[in-house]
Amino acid sequence: GYELVTTTPIGTTSALKSTWDSGITHYAMQNQNKQYRYLINNGSTVGSADVELTDVVEAFRGGDLKHVWELEAYQANNYRFYIKSATGGQPYIGIPIDNTQITLQATKSNYFTFSENGGKLCMKSSSNINYINVYGGQQDKVAGWHDNDAGSQFYLYPIEKKVIEPKFDADIDLKTIDAQTAVVTPVTQINRNDFINVLVTVAYNEYSGKFKFEVNPWTTKDEEITYE
């Protein structure tokens, strides 16, 4: 599962590096031009959506990760990262060409250098001089642009990827199913040479978990045991 770390946005390279060093690699990226749109995975291209942060959180909590982007280090100390979508598939943001919709690609051939402009972050391609830019005249268009103006400026909201391990402490009553009649009855005793098959049914859950089966120690008997 994913959870928003803080509603305070990241707008400096030092804050980005500090967050990265703490183990946070996933972010929602909010553009700072006019509608303050969030970058989204449009399938084969990078798009933007006019939504609120609460909508982004509700979406990824429900399993929709199109607003979530992962930074993969190229040279983290120099604020250089590959940017890829958390949805998988063809995840990496490609080369931003001037005034052309940015595509997503399967391989990581293009990293981005993060820099600051007025307390906001800009992402410049390693392949040319262009930035990731939300076009002012067509806000759903995410293209390359050679200027770090408002369309190229972003706030990043850190998102933590969590693995939650459910814990079940409830006692389970051991029961048996008659193979002929399918009647279920409690197990009151186990005879010599009997064996037990344990059947566990797990319903779908978005979190991964572990199942542990324990058998308590047998009661020690001092008197002699005979078998007839």
Side-chain angles (χ1 to χ4, degrees), residues 142-157:
V142 180
W145 191 243
H146 53 268
D147 190 8
N148 61 353
D149 57 15
S152 300
Q153 298 170 16
F154 291 83
Y155 278 148
L156 269 60
Y157 289 90

Side-chain angles (χ1 to χ4, degrees), residues 10-21 24 27 71 79 81 114 121 156:
I10 295 173
T12 64
T13 52
S14 59
L16 177 63
K17 181 61 167 52
S18 176
T19 306
W20 166 268
D21 288 342
I24 305 298
Y27 301 85
L71 300 186
Y79 319 118
F81 299 90
F114 285 75
L121 290 169
L156 269 60

Side-chain angles (χ1 to χ4, degrees), residues 2 40-41 59-69 85-88:
Y2 294 83
I40 62 172
N41 179 339
F60 67 65
R61 282 180 175 173
D64 184 356
L65 303 179
K66 66 174 175 286
H67 307 89
V68 182
W69 299 90
S85 172
T87 61

Side-chain angles (χ1 to χ4, degrees), residues 217-223 225:
W218 296 104
T219 302
T220 303
K221 296 290 186 178
D222 294 330
E223 64 269 21
I225 300 176

Side-chain angles (χ1 to χ4, degrees), residues 157-192:
Y157 289 90
I159 298 169
E160 186 176 10
K161 184 178 182 181
K162 294 183 176 182
V163 177
I164 301 175
E165 295 187 358
K167 186 176 182 181
F168 304 96
D169 291 329
D171 293 334
I172 299 175
D173 294 329
L174 195 62
K175 297 180 180 180
T176 184
I177 304 176
D178 188 281
Q180 300 297 323
T181 64
V183 174
V184 179
T185 55
V187 173
T188 58
Q189 66 179 28
I190 300 174
N191 299 321
R192 186 185 186 200

Side-chain angles (χ1 to χ4, degrees), residues 52-101:
E52 301 295 332
L53 182 60
T54 52
D55 300 319
V56 174
V57 173
E58 183 179 356
F60 67 65
R61 282 180 175 173
D64 184 356
L65 303 179
K66 66 174 175 286
H67 307 89
V68 182
W69 299 90
E70 181 181 356
L71 300 186
E72 184 177 317
Y74 176 78
Q75 292 176 341
N77 289 334
N78 294 319
Y79 319 118
R80 295 173 178 173
F81 299 90
Y82 300 104
I83 305 175
K84 65 179 182 179
S85 172
T87 61
Q90 188 169 302
Y92 291 95
I93 295 182
I95 299 172
I97 306 300
D98 233 17
N99 202 26
T100 302
Q101 191 89 19

